[in-house]
Every structure is written in structure tokens, then in C-alpha cells.
Amino acid sequence: MFDQILELVKEHLGNNPEISAGIPAGQEDAVHNEIANHVTNSLTTQPAESGGILGGLLSKLESGIASGSPVTSAIEGGLVSSLASKFGLPPSVTGAIAGALPGLLQKYANKTRGSAV
């Protein structure tokens, strides 16, 4: 799960000029790892619904990504403060990263759903 999320983080955020320009040179890998760790930990600690752990995670992601669900909000809130404190990223960059998370989570849900079929 972590490797898939890390790959999507690098792809999704690396293609966003506002985010990539705001990450200090040499810290890209550390920032990407922090984001992937935070997303992975947040997803694996959410209680799963019927359909097993993966089914429950996908169900939660798909139903709540755009609606500001508790899952998405928990990931965004903790991640923004972590990135600001560990890497000194300004609010404009952490806000852009938080804004990109729903799309990243949707890509992960779609990719995982496709491989689970």
C-alpha cells in the first residue's frame, strides 16, 4: 500500500507546479515520503466497514473524497501541520498539498479498485 501511495504522491504532486516549486530543493523525497506515510497511516487506522479492510477503505474513500469526509479531513489536518513543522513549508504550499489530496486519494481508490477486480 505504501509504495503505491508513494508512487502516486510523486506523480500527482510532481506534476503540480505550485507544489513542486514550493518544496525546497533536496527535500522532495523527504516531503513525498512524509505525505505517503501520513496517508498510509491514516487509511490503515480508519475502521473498515463490510467488505474487509481494503473494501472498507475503498468504500470510505469513494464516498467521502469530495465531501470533506472525516477520513480526508483527518489526513489533511495532520499532514498540513506535520509538513509545516518538519519542513518549514509555507501555508500556500501546505494548502496546495491539502487541496491535491482528494484527487490523489481518488487516483489511489481507482487504481486499487482496478487491481482488485
Side-chain angles (χ1 to χ4, degrees), residues 7-100:
E7 177 184 321
L8 287 172
V9 166
K10 288 179 178 182
E11 173 189 312
H12 194 69
L13 300 184
N15 291 330
N16 183 323
E18 181 181 5
I19 294 171
S20 57
I23 298 174
Q27 289 191 330
E28 298 90 352
D29 284 342
V31 170
H32 292 158
N33 275 305
E34 181 70 19
I35 295 167
N37 266 325
H38 196 83
V39 170
T40 302
N41 290 340
S42 295
L43 290 177
T44 57
T45 59
Q46 294 298 318
E49 296 169 350
S50 63
I53 293 173
L54 185 56
L57 289 174
L58 292 175
S59 173
K60 283 182 175 294
L61 283 175
E62 290 171 344
S63 67
I65 285 172
S67 65
S69 73
V71 175
T72 307
S73 297
I75 293 171
E76 289 174 358
L79 180 59
V80 166
S81 63
S82 176
L83 292 172
S85 66
K86 286 185 179 181
F87 302 102
L89 298 181
S92 61
V93 176
T94 58
I97 291 171

